[in-house]
């Protein structure tokens, strides 16, 4: 239903213009809003509602029915001097337009939510899209904004103001922690544009809401039935990003790489792999300092000089830490094969720890 405040605003505006008081009752005769105290019996309202008349004058007050495609919605009552019929018809028309607009908005929101959650049959997707005037065959991409601190309607409204529904964009939610943007792409837009769009969202929350968010997005789909696929990919990107790319605020499904592969492995297979590589848990001698050093070494393509420079440590210190790791694990990360195995093993270990933390 339309909010009472919207109805009150409409009636007050009409009163200001026409200098007449108005009252609105629902289809069961219950008064929803009025601009003054009306001396009207409830029986008069209910009798009018069940009558065949569209308009009726009762005790000097004009009664008008407001209907939509679902039947009778409201009964509007006008009192005062002047052309009550003209004023009543104008206000009734305004309220009817509000009903249709609100219903369209609610129906679209319900459609997109069910589409995202895979709650629609294929035939229903196209039928409802046609009914709601949603173009089925245009490129779209789904963005998921994960909120950290701010979880109020202001965040949703802030995002909604950025996107033009006339261009086919739509903003919705399925829970209080995430805002979902279904963006319709122009023919010349690419993944580079999607990345810029995601960064813009992050910057907006940083500057205007003073809060950090993470934004992910799925692949571009060319048919409306693929929207749920792009949404699932964006959700997976958020999860994979938390585990393997915690420093990133923008995560694209298409750039997840090996992290996506590990994320889809059974946990028991991951544990077997760690046992094979490390022979159990890592030695306590391998602390976070060594792990961070090795991580930077791998990031710099096994370049000892560049890694030493970035970490502000002597070259010999770096070599010492690499050899300490080799002594504990039997893996010399200066060798490409060992470096690759170690990198994958550390990602798998991080995934196992994340799953265990989630299951606590």
């Amino acid at each position: 239903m339309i909010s009472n405040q919207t109805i009150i605003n409409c009636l007050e505006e009409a009163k200001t213009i026409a200098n007449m008081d108005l009252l609105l009752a629902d289809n069961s005769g219950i008064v929803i809003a009025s601009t003054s105290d009306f001396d009207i019996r409830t029986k008069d309202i209910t009798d009018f509602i069940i009558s065949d008349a569209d308009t009726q004058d009762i005790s000097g007050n004009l009664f008008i029915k407001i209907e939509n495609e679902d039947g009778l919605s409201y009964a509007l009552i006008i009192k005062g001097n002047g052309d009550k019929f003209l004023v009543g018809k104008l206000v009734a028309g305004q309220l009817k337009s509000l009903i249709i607009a609100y219903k369209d908005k609610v129906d679209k929101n319900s459609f997109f939510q069910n589409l995202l959650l895979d709650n629609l049959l294929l035939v229903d997707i196209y039928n409802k899209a046609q009914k709601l005037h949603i173009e089925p065959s245009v490129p779209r991409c789904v963005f998921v904004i994960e909120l950290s601190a701010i979880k109020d309607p202001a965040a949703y409204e802030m995002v909604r103001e950025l996107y033009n529904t006339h261009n086919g964009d739509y903003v919705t939610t399925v829970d209080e922690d995430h805002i979902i943007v279904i963006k319709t792409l122009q023919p010349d837009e690419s993944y580079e544009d999607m990345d810029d769009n995601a960064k813009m969202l992050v910057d907006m929350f940083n500057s205007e809401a003073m809060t950090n968010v993470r934004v992910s997005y799925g692949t571009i789909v060319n048919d409306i039935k693929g929207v749920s696929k792009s949404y699932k990919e964006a959700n997976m990107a958020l999860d994979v990003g938390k585990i393997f790319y915690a420093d990133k605020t923008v995560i694209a499904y298409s750039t997840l790489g090996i992290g996506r592969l590990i994320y889809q492995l059974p946990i028991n297979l991951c544990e077997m792999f760690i046992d094979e590589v490390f022979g159990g848990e890592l030695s306590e001698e391998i602390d976070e300092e060594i792990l961070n050093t090795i991580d930077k070494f791998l990031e710099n393509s096994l370049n000892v000089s560049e890694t030493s420079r970035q970490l502000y440590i002597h070259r010999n210190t770096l070599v010492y830490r690499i050899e300490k790791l080799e002594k504990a694990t039997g893996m010399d990360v200066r060798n490409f094969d060992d470096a690759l195995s170690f990198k994958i093993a550390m990602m798998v270990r991080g995934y196992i720890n994340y799953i265990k933390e989630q299951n606590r």
Side-chain angles (χ1 to χ4, degrees):
M1 290 179 63
I2 307 172
S3 70
N4 283 359
Q5 190 57 54
T6 301
I7 292 172
I8 291 169
N9 291 343
C10 182
L11 297 185
E12 290 290 351
E13 193 173 310
K15 176 182 178 179
T16 302
I17 296 170
N19 195 28
M20 295 182 188
D21 282 307
L22 302 99
L23 178 147
L24 193 72
D26 64 17
N27 55 16
S28 61
I30 298 173
V31 175
I32 296 173
S34 66
T35 59
S36 71
D37 293 330
F38 271 64
D39 186 19
I40 292 178
R41 298 184 305 168
T42 303
K43 186 177 185 304
D44 288 337
I45 300 175
T46 54
D47 286 348
F48 170 68
I49 288 171
I50 63 175
S51 72
D52 294 330
D54 292 328
T55 62
Q56 192 173 355
D57 191 303
I58 303 175
S59 302
N61 299 311
L62 182 65
F63 287 60
I64 298 177
K65 288 179 180 176
I66 302 175
E67 298 181 341
N68 62 20
E69 60 184 18
D70 297 323
L72 180 65
S73 295
Y74 301 104
L76 177 66
I77 304 165
I78 307 102
K79 74 173 181 179
N81 298 318
D83 194 342
K84 291 192 287 288
F85 184 81
L86 177 61
V87 173
K89 283 298 183 181
L90 287 172
V91 175
Q94 177 75 6
L95 288 170
K96 188 172 182 179
S97 296
L98 286 172
I99 293 168
I100 293 170
Y102 183 82
K103 186 175 185 299
D104 182 63
K105 178 181 176 181
V106 170
D107 286 350
K108 276 190 177 180
N109 193 58
S110 175
F111 169 76
F112 278 116
Q113 286 180 338
N114 284 310
L115 179 64
L116 291 168
L117 298 174
D118 262 343
N119 290 338
L120 295 172
L121 296 174
L122 189 60
V123 65
D124 289 335
I125 292 175
Y126 293 105
N127 287 341
K128 291 187 177 184
Q130 183 179 26
K131 183 179 178 182
L132 294 169
H133 308 292
I134 298 169
E135 176 60 48
S137 301
V138 294
R140 292 181 173 91
C141 185
V142 177
F143 293 78
V144 177
I145 305 166
E146 184 176 66
L147 305 173
S148 53
I150 180 170
K151 296 179 183 178
D152 59 61
Y156 174 79
E157 290 301 323
M158 191 162 54
V159 175
R160 198 167 66 87
E161 288 175 4
L162 286 175
Y163 294 92
N164 190 345
T165 55
H166 296 297
N167 293 337
D169 299 337
Y170 200 81
V171 180
T172 188
T173 60
V174 293
D175 58 52
E176 66 174 6
D177 297 320
H178 303 86
I179 298 172
I180 302 159
V181 179
I182 303 168
K183 180 167 176 55
T184 298
L185 279 60
Q186 300 303 313
D188 59 341
E189 287 188 297
S190 64
Y191 282 108
E192 186 176 345
D193 297 295
M194 298 304 98
D195 207 61
D196 289 341
N197 190 82
K199 290 174 181 175
M200 177 270 294
L201 287 167
V202 171
D203 291 341
M204 180 192 70
F205 274 94
N206 284 341
S207 59
E208 296 186 24
M210 300 299 179
T211 187
N212 295 321
V213 299
R214 298 170 71 246
V215 179
S216 66
Y217 59 95
T219 55
I220 297 171
V221 296
N222 294 309
D223 195 279
I224 196 164
K225 71 177 184 289
V227 167
S228 62
K229 170 179 170 287
S230 187
Y231 172 62
K232 290 173 185 174
E233 291 169 346
N235 271 334
M236 179 184 285
L238 273 180
D239 287 342
V240 174
K242 289 177 189 175
I243 305 168
F244 305 116
Y245 315 108
D247 57 327
K248 289 187 177 182
T249 55
V250 172
I251 312 103
Y253 176 82
S254 58
T255 63
L256 293 178
I258 197 170
R260 183 170 75 233
L261 177 63
I262 294 171
Y263 181 78
Q264 297 178 79
L265 291 175
I267 193 70
N268 62 323
L269 195 61
C270 293
E271 290 173 338
M272 287 173 57
F273 176 72
I274 291 298
D275 285 341
E276 290 175 8
V277 174
F278 295 136
E281 287 295 320
L282 271 176
S283 168
E284 292 183 0
E285 296 178 11
I286 308 303
D287 55 22
E288 286 301 316
E289 183 181 53
I290 291 179
L291 292 177
N292 290 336
T293 300
I294 302 303
D295 190 55
K296 181 62 71 173
F297 180 60
L298 299 178
E299 185 182 307
N300 287 311
S301 303
L302 316 187
N303 188 312
V304 174
S305 299
E306 181 61 21
T307 304
S308 302
R309 186 187 69 79
Q310 290 187 17
L311 292 176
Y312 302 103
I313 60 175
H314 194 276
R315 180 188 179 95
N316 291 342
T317 303
L318 175 59
V319 172
Y320 168 76
R321 293 176 184 176
I322 291 173
E323 290 177 347
K324 190 172 183 180
L325 177 72
E326 182 182 6
K327 182 178 178 182
T329 65
M331 303 176 76
D332 183 1
V333 292
R334 290 167 292 191
N335 174 282
F336 176 78
D337 288 342
D338 282 356
L340 181 61
S341 296
F342 183 78
K343 176 66 175 177
I344 294 173
M346 292 308 296
M347 292 179 73
V348 171
R349 180 171 174 263
Y351 172 61
I352 292 171
N353 291 339
Y354 174 82
I355 295 298
K356 287 181 177 177
E357 186 67 28
Q358 293 297 305
N359 291 336
R360 283 183 181 176

